[in-house]
Amino acid sequence: MIIFCLILAIMNIPLFIAKRLYNAKENNNNYTRPIIRIAILAITLSVMIMLLSVFILSGFKSEISKKVFGFGGHINISKFSYNQSFENDPIENTSELISNIYNLDYVKSIHPFATKAGIIKKEDEILGTILKGVDHDYSWSFFKENLIAGQVPKFDEFANSIEVLISENISRKMNLNIGDDILMYFIQNPTRVRKFRVSGVYKTDLTEFDEIMIIGDLKQIQKLNDWTKDKVGGYEVLVNNIENIDSYAKEIDETIDYNLKAISIKEKYPQIFDWLKLQDFNVLIILILMLIVGGINMITSLLIIILEKTRLIGILKAIGATNWSIRNVFIYNSLYIISYGLILGNVLALLFGLAQRKFNFIELDESIYFMNFVPIKIELFSLLMINLGTLLICYLILVVPSVIIAKISPAKSIKFD
């Protein structure tokens, strides 16, 4: 017994025995072998489903957020008022205001804009829309990515442009093609009408915007509203880190004049981002259910392994092994099974995720999900946390059934068959 304790102190005997048990596959009887395989399969599927759930949720958040940011920037600065319409109260386009915002180290760029409600009329068809005016320095990268026909408008710094960018939704409803002229009526006193020309068609599948949004020249709205060139409807601010746009918006709001307000795009369109938050809860439920399934299977497998190795437990106790060291043997053995399931689950999830990201073979109803395919975003941090969390939770779960080892009598277990 003294010699055994000295050996135990020098080397990790439970880990050594666990390796021998795991590698000695021929010692597993016909009943134990399929149970172990089922346990590995359960862990594999659980990990795969958990990883894919997080990858898909991250993809949804990233894609939808990118689309909303593309239409409205990260932070909007506008005149402080109770006006809830699409008509903007003008603010002064002062270099001092722009300079103060650019001095903030997290600001990437700032763009003036203005919006105005109008009605498109073509023959007997009419459609209510919103004309969003932008200037010649506007970043078109988002719309270029979502362009399906034509090209984005080209605006001159001095001359007014009649080119506009319309959505595929508006193009279909009004039967408009590239190069067609549009008559847009603006209800004001007096009513005004402007002719525009379609230069391009975009499609983002974000129905809330695609149904009404037309992108045109800011100078056209300034002229319609009888504004001077130094007046705009507001500013779109783009920042370097979108995770902190709420705190950035608050800081900018404290920087600008009292008659202006700065809000993040999340505050401007809360219904979209609240819907995304709701998906977090759904994924959390999936993670909990998958951990329960994997945990139950591992408990069952461990109990069966303990039952099969009852004689080994008696022999180890007879030569002086403690209950805790024997429990570690079977916990280590189970962790080998878990690790095998984790590796398979990670490989399958990554292969599936990469294939979906490249080929988009799983499609969605764009009218419900704002996109026509399942988006995938692989985050290394999420992958690491799910693996470590699964391993830790399974280990804690396995400690409970291993308590049964303490109740096994050496004399009876050695005779056990």
Side-chain angles (χ1 to χ4, degrees):
M1 181 175 177
I2 296 175
I3 295 175
F4 182 82
C5 291
L6 288 172
I7 295 174
L8 187 63
I10 295 171
M11 60 183 295
N12 194 339
I13 295 296
L15 182 59
F16 173 77
I17 297 173
K19 286 181 180 179
R20 295 298 299 270
L21 289 176
Y22 182 77
N23 293 327
K25 293 182 180 179
E26 67 279 1
N27 294 332
N28 293 332
N29 59 42
N30 292 330
Y31 180 70
T32 307
R33 193 178 297 116
I35 294 298
I36 292 175
R37 288 175 179 170
I38 290 172
I40 292 174
L41 179 62
I43 292 294
T44 300
L45 291 177
S46 297
V47 172
M48 179 181 174
I49 292 172
M50 286 190 291
L51 287 174
L52 287 177
S53 298
V54 173
F55 292 166
I56 292 171
L57 177 63
S58 298
F60 265 115
K61 284 185 172 183
S62 176
E63 288 296 320
I64 294 175
S65 297
K66 186 165 65 174
K67 291 179 179 182
V68 179
F69 295 151
F71 278 105
H74 299 147
I75 298 169
N76 277 190
I77 300 174
S78 58
K79 191 73 171 285
F80 186 86
S81 72
Y82 295 101
N83 179 13
Q84 299 297 318
S85 71
F86 289 104
E87 303 286 333
N88 306 121
D89 292 329
I91 61 178
E92 296 292 335
N93 186 1
T94 62
S95 57
E96 182 181 357
L97 172 63
I98 296 175
S99 176
N100 288 339
I101 296 172
Y102 263 124
N103 286 336
L104 300 172
D105 56 4
Y106 50 79
V107 172
K108 185 163 58 175
S109 61
I110 177 170
H111 305 281
F113 75 95
T115 57
K116 193 169 182 65
I119 298 174
I120 294 177
K121 186 177 185 300
K122 184 178 181 182
E123 298 175 354
D124 294 331
E125 297 291 330
I126 62 171
L127 180 68
T129 59
I130 303 298
L131 176 63
K132 177 180 177 180
V134 297
D135 69 352
H136 64 284
D137 286 330
Y138 184 71
S139 174
W140 292 102
S141 57
F142 168 74
F143 287 103
K144 285 180 179 178
E145 290 175 6
N146 293 278
L147 200 66
I148 61 173
Q151 61 183 11
V152 297
K154 295 179 180 178
F155 300 149
D156 188 84
E157 185 176 357
F158 304 103
N160 293 355
S161 172
I162 64 170
E163 290 187 352
V164 292
L165 183 68
I166 66 173
S167 70
E168 188 267 345
N169 195 308
I170 296 173
S171 173
R172 186 182 66 253
K173 286 182 179 179
M174 302 302 293
N175 192 26
L176 294 170
N177 298 306
I178 304 301
D180 287 353
D181 290 335
I182 300 175
L183 286 180
M184 183 176 283
Y185 294 82
F186 299 93
I187 310 303
Q188 57 189 78
N189 190 17
T191 300
R192 296 184 178 181
V193 59
R194 289 290 185 273
K195 183 173 77 171
F196 299 105
R197 182 167 295 127
V198 177
S199 69
V201 178
Y202 71 87
K203 182 182 179 183
T204 68
D205 295 320
L206 204 58
T207 312
E208 184 169 336
F209 297 95
D210 281 6
E211 287 185 344
I212 61 172
M213 194 65 71
I214 296 177
I215 313 298
D217 192 351
L218 173 62
K219 291 187 288 297
Q220 291 284 2
I221 296 181
Q222 289 173 330
K223 190 173 181 180
L224 283 165
N225 290 340
D226 297 322
W227 293 350
T228 57
K229 290 186 178 181
D230 63 343
K231 290 184 178 179
V232 297
Y235 292 98
E236 292 178 356
V237 181
L238 301 180
V239 298
N240 295 318
N241 185 0
I242 61 173
E243 300 297 326
N244 299 323
I245 59 174
D246 289 324
S247 60
Y248 292 161
K250 185 177 180 181
E251 184 177 345
I252 291 175
D253 191 56
E254 294 172 351
T255 303
I256 58 182
D257 294 339
Y258 71 93
N259 62 336
L260 303 177
K261 63 176 179 179
I263 61 171
S264 72
I265 203 70
K266 293 181 180 179
E267 294 179 76
K268 190 172 183 178
Y269 301 106
Q271 68 279 9
I272 295 176
F273 290 95
D274 287 345
W275 179 77
L276 289 177
K277 284 183 181 179
L278 185 62
Q279 307 313 308
D280 289 338
F281 179 75
N282 295 337
V283 171
L284 179 62
I285 295 298
I286 292 174
L287 295 180
I288 292 172
L289 289 176
M290 291 300 100
L291 285 173
I292 291 173
V293 170
I296 290 174
N297 275 277
M298 286 311 306
I299 289 173
T300 304
S301 301
L302 180 58
L303 290 174
I304 292 172
I305 293 171
I306 290 172
L307 181 64
E308 182 195 6
K309 302 298 180 183
T310 301
R311 181 178 294 178
L312 174 63
I313 294 171
I315 293 173
L316 291 174
K317 283 191 174 185
I319 62 175
T322 63
N323 287 326
W324 182 248
S325 63
I326 299 173
R327 286 166 67 181
N328 282 342
V329 170
F330 293 95
I331 290 175
Y332 285 144
N333 190 258
S334 298
L335 289 177
Y336 277 120
I337 297 172
I338 295 170
S339 300
Y340 194 55
L342 281 174
I343 293 171
L344 284 176
N346 277 267
V347 170
L348 291 175
L350 288 172
L351 287 176
F352 183 90
L354 292 172
Q356 171 62 19
R357 194 165 68 175
K358 183 172 179 61
F359 301 108
N360 295 326
F361 52 85
I362 300 181
E363 298 180 350
L364 296 174
D365 184 349
E366 59 214 43
S367 64
I368 299 174
Y369 296 101
F370 307 128
M371 58 192 71
N372 56 10
F373 62 91
V374 174
I376 296 290
K377 183 180 181 183
I378 298 174
E379 295 182 334
L380 294 179
F381 178 76
S382 299
L383 187 145
L384 181 63
M385 292 306 297
I386 287 176
N387 280 278
L388 290 177
T390 302
L391 196 61
L392 177 61
I393 291 172
C394 286
Y395 174 79
L396 295 175
I397 290 174
L398 292 175
V399 172
V400 178
S402 65
V403 175
I404 195 173
I405 292 172
K407 299 182 180 180
I408 295 177
S409 168
K412 293 181 180 179
S413 60
I414 292 175
K415 297 186 216 179
F416 182 80
D417 190 359

